[in-house]
Amino acid sequence: MRVLTAVPVYNEANHVHGVLSEVRRYSPNILVVNDGSTDGTSALLDQEPGLLRIDHPVNRGYGAALISAFAFTLEHDFDVLVTMDCDGQHQPERIPVLLEAIHDCDIVSGSRYFRDFRQDTPAPSDRRFINATITREINQRYGLDLTDAFCGFKAYRREALQKLHITERGWGMPLQLWVQAARQELRVKEIGVPRLYLDPNRAFGGVMNDPEQRLAYYRGVLAAAECDVLPAARAASCCPCPGSC
């Protein structure tokens, strides 16, 4: 099984070396998607040997970085893609747990609320509320059984990626993913991962710093994803947009 671990990076000069050093212990194939970093991250990546690398000339967004990783996985015939963040919140030592769990499903997603860990830290109240609200709405509307709709620590089978058509370039990309996964009847499993908020003051940026606007944006992503045209769609009957699916 050929496994690729993809790490989206945007202005992570304080974390990138330490994170990649740990990832190397668990994954021989590492793809860094440098999403237009301007803080010296690019120069640090130049010093990292043996990386696969994609550089976006400007910051395109979290979802755009993962779209690049998905395409790279398919183009280079990897069997499984693991995705994780570069801010120190995801522990590379749990990569083997993701890989063990994917043997009987299509997508394995980390969950910070699946169970408690000794090292858990409190989530910022607005993030916890929005996560719980959106996760509940996804479960009710699409028949999933998630506990954490937003965690970026995931593993995907190649066959699952071939059934997705992700276009959302911003922070709402995971929500488009869940709608498409439900429509394509993909097998989804969650595993518990520690809830680590190392910098409680870290912000999304722009209007996304306003919780009400962030929640409205997320709901808009969910609604739009119901009309996505999907590869080899098997669940078109659930799409409420006549003529679009």
Side-chain angles (χ1 to χ4, degrees), residues 1 3-6 66 70 73 79-84 90 94-103 105-111 151-161 164 177-178 186-191 193:
M1 185 169 67
V3 178
L4 175 68
T5 298
L66 289 178
F70 289 0
T73 301
D79 300 304
V80 175
L81 171 68
V82 174
T83 62
M84 60 171 290
H90 297 160
R94 300 198 176 270
I95 291 175
V97 182
L98 289 170
L99 297 178
E100 180 180 0
I102 205 167
H103 75 279
C105 63
D106 299 304
I107 300 174
V108 178
S109 186
S111 170
C151 184
F153 202 6
K154 288 181 170 62
Y156 304 81
R157 283 188 177 274
R158 173 185 180 83
E159 294 82 2
L161 295 179
L164 301 173
L177 166 70
W178 290 131
L186 298 182
R187 300 166 299 169
V188 174
K189 178 188 297 184
E190 282 187 321
I191 63 165
V193 297

Side-chain angles (χ1 to χ4, degrees), residues 25-122:
R25 299 175 57 191
Y26 304 98
S27 179
N29 303 302
I30 304 172
L31 170 68
V32 171
V33 183
N34 180 25
D35 190 30
S37 295
T38 58
D39 69 338
T41 294
S42 299
L44 292 174
L45 289 174
D46 291 340
Q47 302 171 21
E48 293 282 346
L51 290 179
L52 302 167
R53 183 168 163 182
I54 296 172
D55 288 277
H56 293 171
V58 296
N59 179 245
R60 297 178 183 172
Y62 175 74
L66 289 178
I67 290 170
S68 291
F70 289 0
F72 188 97
T73 301
L74 295 175
E75 290 168 5
H76 293 84
D77 296 323
F78 286 96
D79 300 304
V80 175
L81 171 68
V82 174
T83 62
M84 60 171 290
D85 295 346
C86 194
D87 57 6
Q89 295 189 32
H90 297 160
Q91 297 180 318
E93 66 194 52
R94 300 198 176 270
I95 291 175
V97 182
L98 289 170
L99 297 178
E100 180 180 0
I102 205 167
H103 75 279
D104 62 351
C105 63
D106 299 304
I107 300 174
V108 178
S109 186
S111 170
R112 296 157 290 182
Y113 304 102
F114 190 81
R115 68 181 182 89
D116 294 329
F117 289 84
R118 175 184 52 82
Q119 61 267 52
D120 282 351
T121 60

Side-chain angles (χ1 to χ4, degrees), residues 74-230:
L74 295 175
E75 290 168 5
H76 293 84
D77 296 323
F78 286 96
D79 300 304
V80 175
L81 171 68
V82 174
T83 62
M84 60 171 290
D85 295 346
C86 194
D87 57 6
Q89 295 189 32
H90 297 160
Q91 297 180 318
E93 66 194 52
R94 300 198 176 270
I95 291 175
V97 182
L98 289 170
L99 297 178
E100 180 180 0
I102 205 167
H103 75 279
D104 62 351
C105 63
D106 299 304
I107 300 174
V108 178
S109 186
S111 170
R112 296 157 290 182
Y113 304 102
F114 190 81
R115 68 181 182 89
D116 294 329
F117 289 84
R118 175 184 52 82
Q119 61 267 52
D120 282 351
T121 60
S125 58
D126 62 323
R127 297 193 184 201
R128 181 67 187 102
F129 171 77
I130 290 175
N131 192 326
T133 300
I134 292 295
T135 299
R136 182 175 61 252
E137 292 178 8
I138 288 173
N139 291 338
Q140 292 172 346
R141 292 168 66 176
Y142 308 110
L144 297 176
D145 190 22
L146 303 174
T147 59
D148 186 350
F150 288 94
C151 184
F153 202 6
K154 288 181 170 62
Y156 304 81
R157 283 188 177 274
R158 173 185 180 83
E159 294 82 2
L161 295 179
Q162 291 173 326
K163 295 179 180 179
L164 301 173
H165 180 56
I166 302 300
T167 57
E168 175 54 47
R169 293 165 50 148
W171 294 110
M173 170 268 171
L175 309 184
Q176 184 184 34
L177 166 70
W178 290 131
V179 177
Q180 293 190 8
R183 289 177 55 198
Q184 294 285 49
E185 300 178 358
L186 298 182
R187 300 166 299 169
V188 174
K189 178 188 297 184
E190 282 187 321
I191 63 165
V193 297
R195 184 175 62 253
L196 304 176
Y197 282 93
L198 305 181
D199 181 4
N201 297 317
R202 189 163 179 148
F204 290 92
V207 298
M208 290 289 285
N209 289 336
D210 183 313
E212 291 186 5
Q213 293 196 51
R214 192 159 77 244
L215 183 59
Y217 157 65
Y218 289 149
R219 284 173 168 156
V221 171
L222 290 175
E226 293 179 346
C227 298
D228 289 341
V229 178
L230 303 181

